[in-house]
PDB file of all heavy atoms in Angstrom:
ATOM      1  N   LEU C 487     115.884  -6.641 -42.103  1.00  0.00           N
ATOM      2  CA  LEU C 487     114.646  -5.896 -41.828  1.00  0.00           C
ATOM      3  C   LEU C 487     115.045  -4.517 -41.324  1.00  0.00           C
ATOM      4  O   LEU C 487     115.899  -4.395 -40.445  1.00  0.00           O
ATOM      5  CB  LEU C 487     113.815  -6.627 -40.774  1.00  0.00           C
ATOM      6  CG  LEU C 487     112.555  -5.927 -40.234  1.00  0.00           C
ATOM      7  CD1 LEU C 487     111.506  -6.961 -39.817  1.00  0.00           C
ATOM      8  CD2 LEU C 487     112.841  -4.989 -39.062  1.00  0.00           C
ATOM      9  N   SER C 489     113.260  -0.958 -39.852  1.00  0.00           N
ATOM     10  CA  SER C 489     112.027  -0.293 -39.398  1.00  0.00           C
ATOM     11  C   SER C 489     112.010   1.154 -39.889  1.00  0.00           C
ATOM     12  O   SER C 489     112.991   1.886 -39.717  1.00  0.00           O
ATOM     13  CB  SER C 489     111.937  -0.306 -37.873  1.00  0.00           C
ATOM     14  OG  SER C 489     111.803  -1.637 -37.403  1.00  0.00           O
ATOM     15  N   ASP C 508     109.762  -2.518 -42.505  1.00  0.00           N
ATOM     16  CA  ASP C 508     108.903  -2.693 -41.332  1.00  0.00           C
ATOM     17  C   ASP C 508     108.371  -1.337 -40.878  1.00  0.00           C
ATOM     18  O   ASP C 508     109.159  -0.452 -40.549  1.00  0.00           O
ATOM     19  CB  ASP C 508     109.753  -3.338 -40.226  1.00  0.00           C
ATOM     20  CG  ASP C 508     109.027  -3.475 -38.909  1.00  0.00           C
ATOM     21  OD1 ASP C 508     107.909  -4.027 -38.920  1.00  0.00           O
ATOM     22  OD2 ASP C 508     109.577  -3.055 -37.873  1.00  0.00           O
ATOM     23  N   LYS C 510     106.869   1.197 -38.388  1.00  0.00           N
ATOM     24  CA  LYS C 510     106.832   1.315 -36.924  1.00  0.00           C
ATOM     25  C   LYS C 510     107.071   2.761 -36.540  1.00  0.00           C
ATOM     26  O   LYS C 510     107.839   3.467 -37.195  1.00  0.00           O
ATOM     27  CB  LYS C 510     107.932   0.424 -36.343  1.00  0.00           C
ATOM     28  CG  LYS C 510     108.076   0.488 -34.844  1.00  0.00           C
ATOM     29  CD  LYS C 510     109.304  -0.256 -34.370  1.00  0.00           C
ATOM     30  CE  LYS C 510     109.133  -1.757 -34.503  1.00  0.00           C
ATOM     31  NZ  LYS C 510     110.254  -2.497 -33.883  1.00  0.00           N
ATOM     32  N   LYS C 566     102.979  -7.484 -36.885  1.00  0.00           N
ATOM     33  CA  LYS C 566     103.716  -7.870 -35.684  1.00  0.00           C
ATOM     34  C   LYS C 566     102.949  -7.454 -34.432  1.00  0.00           C
ATOM     35  O   LYS C 566     102.485  -6.314 -34.333  1.00  0.00           O
ATOM     36  CB  LYS C 566     105.097  -7.208 -35.690  1.00  0.00           C
ATOM     37  CG  LYS C 566     106.010  -7.745 -36.783  1.00  0.00           C
ATOM     38  CD  LYS C 566     107.156  -6.812 -37.112  1.00  0.00           C
ATOM     39  CE  LYS C 566     108.044  -6.511 -35.948  1.00  0.00           C
ATOM     40  NZ  LYS C 566     109.145  -5.565 -36.346  1.00  0.00           N
ATOM     41  N   ASP C 621     112.993  -9.218 -29.735  1.00  0.00           N
ATOM     42  CA  ASP C 621     113.430  -7.816 -29.787  1.00  0.00           C
ATOM     43  C   ASP C 621     113.721  -7.401 -28.347  1.00  0.00           C
ATOM     44  O   ASP C 621     113.560  -8.206 -27.412  1.00  0.00           O
ATOM     45  CB  ASP C 621     112.305  -6.961 -30.400  1.00  0.00           C
ATOM     46  CG  ASP C 621     112.765  -5.586 -30.867  1.00  0.00           C
ATOM     47  OD1 ASP C 621     113.914  -5.178 -30.568  1.00  0.00           O
ATOM     48  OD2 ASP C 621     111.955  -4.894 -31.526  1.00  0.00           O
ATOM     49  N   LYS C 625     114.565   0.585 -25.121  1.00  0.00           N
ATOM     50  CA  LYS C 625     115.380   1.037 -26.250  1.00  0.00           C
ATOM     51  C   LYS C 625     116.424   2.041 -25.763  1.00  0.00           C
ATOM     52  O   LYS C 625     116.547   3.150 -26.280  1.00  0.00           O
ATOM     53  CB  LYS C 625     114.486   1.640 -27.339  1.00  0.00           C
ATOM     54  CG  LYS C 625     113.560   0.617 -27.989  1.00  0.00           C
ATOM     55  CD  LYS C 625     114.343  -0.480 -28.696  1.00  0.00           C
ATOM     56  CE  LYS C 625     113.441  -1.483 -29.405  1.00  0.00           C
ATOM     57  NZ  LYS C 625     114.202  -2.611 -29.977  1.00  0.00           N
ATOM     58  N   GLY C 657     117.026  -5.807 -31.691  1.00  0.00           N
ATOM     59  CA  GLY C 657     117.180  -5.192 -30.379  1.00  0.00           C
ATOM     60  C   GLY C 657     118.462  -4.386 -30.265  1.00  0.00           C
ATOM     61  O   GLY C 657     119.489  -4.918 -29.852  1.00  0.00           O
ATOM     62  N   SER C 658     118.408  -3.117 -30.689  1.00  0.00           N
ATOM     63  CA  SER C 658     119.564  -2.209 -30.630  1.00  0.00           C
ATOM     64  C   SER C 658     120.803  -2.834 -31.259  1.00  0.00           C
ATOM     65  O   SER C 658     121.918  -2.672 -30.746  1.00  0.00           O
ATOM     66  CB  SER C 658     119.851  -1.800 -29.171  1.00  0.00           C
ATOM     67  OG  SER C 658     118.776  -1.063 -28.651  1.00  0.00           O
ATOM     68  N   ARG C 678     116.791  -0.651 -36.369  1.00  0.00           N
ATOM     69  CA  ARG C 678     116.313   0.726 -36.486  1.00  0.00           C
ATOM     70  C   ARG C 678     117.462   1.654 -36.028  1.00  0.00           C
ATOM     71  O   ARG C 678     118.148   2.237 -36.840  1.00  0.00           O
ATOM     72  CB  ARG C 678     115.057   0.966 -35.631  1.00  0.00           C
ATOM     73  CG  ARG C 678     114.653   2.453 -35.512  1.00  0.00           C
ATOM     74  CD  ARG C 678     114.066   2.993 -36.790  1.00  0.00           C
ATOM     75  NE  ARG C 678     114.038   4.470 -36.758  1.00  0.00           N
ATOM     76  CZ  ARG C 678     113.659   5.240 -37.741  1.00  0.00           C
ATOM     77  NH1 ARG C 678     113.248   4.699 -38.875  1.00  0.00           N
ATOM     78  NH2 ARG C 678     113.696   6.558 -37.659  1.00  0.00           N
ATOM     79  N   GLY C 679     117.677   1.767 -34.722  1.00  0.00           N
ATOM     80  CA  GLY C 679     118.627   2.738 -34.191  1.00  0.00           C
ATOM     81  C   GLY C 679     120.012   2.650 -34.808  1.00  0.00           C
ATOM     82  O   GLY C 679     120.613   3.673 -35.143  1.00  0.00           O
ATOM     83  N   ARG C 687     117.521   5.970 -32.760  1.00  0.00           N
ATOM     84  CA  ARG C 687     116.376   5.438 -33.500  1.00  0.00           C
ATOM     85  C   ARG C 687     115.287   6.482 -33.754  1.00  0.00           C
ATOM     86  O   ARG C 687     114.410   6.283 -34.595  1.00  0.00           O
ATOM     87  CB  ARG C 687     115.808   4.211 -32.793  1.00  0.00           C
ATOM     88  CG  ARG C 687     115.094   4.483 -31.499  1.00  0.00           C
ATOM     89  CD  ARG C 687     114.926   3.209 -30.676  1.00  0.00           C
ATOM     90  NE  ARG C 687     114.390   2.081 -31.422  1.00  0.00           N
ATOM     91  CZ  ARG C 687     113.091   1.833 -31.587  1.00  0.00           C
ATOM     92  NH1 ARG C 687     112.203   2.645 -31.066  1.00  0.00           N
ATOM     93  NH2 ARG C 687     112.687   0.768 -32.255  1.00  0.00           N
TER      94      ARG C 687
HETATM   95  O1  LIG K1983     111.949  -4.605 -35.481  1.00  0.00           O
HETATM   96  C1  LIG K1983     113.097  -4.168 -35.220  1.00  0.00           C
HETATM   97  C2  LIG K1983     113.266  -2.958 -34.392  1.00  0.00           C
HETATM   98  O2  LIG K1983     112.650  -1.865 -34.992  1.00  0.00           O
HETATM   99  C3  LIG K1983     114.657  -2.712 -34.015  1.00  0.00           C
HETATM  100  O3  LIG K1983     114.817  -1.427 -33.443  1.00  0.00           O
HETATM  101  P1  LIG K1983     116.188  -1.056 -32.749  1.00  0.00           P
HETATM  102  O4  LIG K1983     117.304  -1.529 -33.652  1.00  0.00           O
HETATM  103  O5  LIG K1983     116.183   0.425 -32.605  1.00  0.00           O
HETATM  104  O6  LIG K1983     116.206  -1.767 -31.445  1.00  0.00           O
END
Side-chain angles (χ1 to χ4, degrees):
L487 173 150
S489 294
D508 175 52
K510 177 188 289 187
K566 292 160 59 181
D621 196 350
K625 294 298 182 185
S658 296
R678 170 73 195 176
R687 71 197 311 273

